[in-house]
């Protein structure tokens, strides 16, 4: 009988602790959710800005690549599809 009482008391305390923790979390959600929504919105804007910057960088790389290719052709630099290490002599 003593063992059963001890087990029931332990289970009751575990249940009370669990419910207390859940209540604390639920009560805190009112403060946390708006902050999370604000952070998500700020992160979404930052991601969009990064995507735009990446696109601008890709376009600039394409321009630089075409300019470099024009310089290579103008100077008649020996250049193959996949260049060896350094330039060829002769």
């Amino acid at each position: 009988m003593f063992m059963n009482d001890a087990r029931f008391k332990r289970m009751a305390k575990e249940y009370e602790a669990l419910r207390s923790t859940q209540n604390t979390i639920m009560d805190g959600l009112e403060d946390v959710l708006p902050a999370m929504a604000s952070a998500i919105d700020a992160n979404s804007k930052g991601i969009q800005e990064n995507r735009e910057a990446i696109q601008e960088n890709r376009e600039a790389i394409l321009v630089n690549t075409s300019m470099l290719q024009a310089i290579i052709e103008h100077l008649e630099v020996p250049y193959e599809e996949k260049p060896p290490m350094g330039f060829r002599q002769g």
Side-chain angles (χ1 to χ4, degrees):
M1 190 63 119
F2 172 76
M3 291 300 288
N4 286 339
D5 289 342
R7 287 184 186 146
F8 285 129
K9 286 180 183 178
R10 187 191 71 201
M11 288 175 24
K13 289 185 182 209
E14 287 176 358
Y15 178 79
E16 289 172 15
L18 175 65
R19 284 296 179 202
S20 175
T21 302
Q22 288 175 340
N23 289 337
T24 302
I25 290 171
M26 295 304 284
D27 292 342
L29 285 180
E30 292 176 4
D31 298 330
V32 172
L33 289 179
M36 286 178 62
S38 176
I40 289 169
D41 187 45
N43 287 342
S44 295
K45 288 177 183 175
I47 289 169
Q48 184 58 34
E49 290 171 2
N50 285 344
R51 287 180 177 158
E52 291 170 4
I54 289 169
Q55 185 59 35
E56 290 173 7
N57 287 340
R58 286 180 177 158
E59 292 169 5
I61 290 169
L62 288 174
V63 169
N64 288 340
T65 300
S66 65
M67 293 169 79
L68 181 58
Q69 187 61 41
I71 291 169
I72 288 172
E73 291 172 5
H74 177 74
L75 296 177
E76 298 177 357
V77 175
Y79 185 82
E80 299 171 6
E81 202 53 40
K82 291 185 178 179
M85 297 300 288
F87 290 101
R88 289 188 315 204
Q89 293 182 2

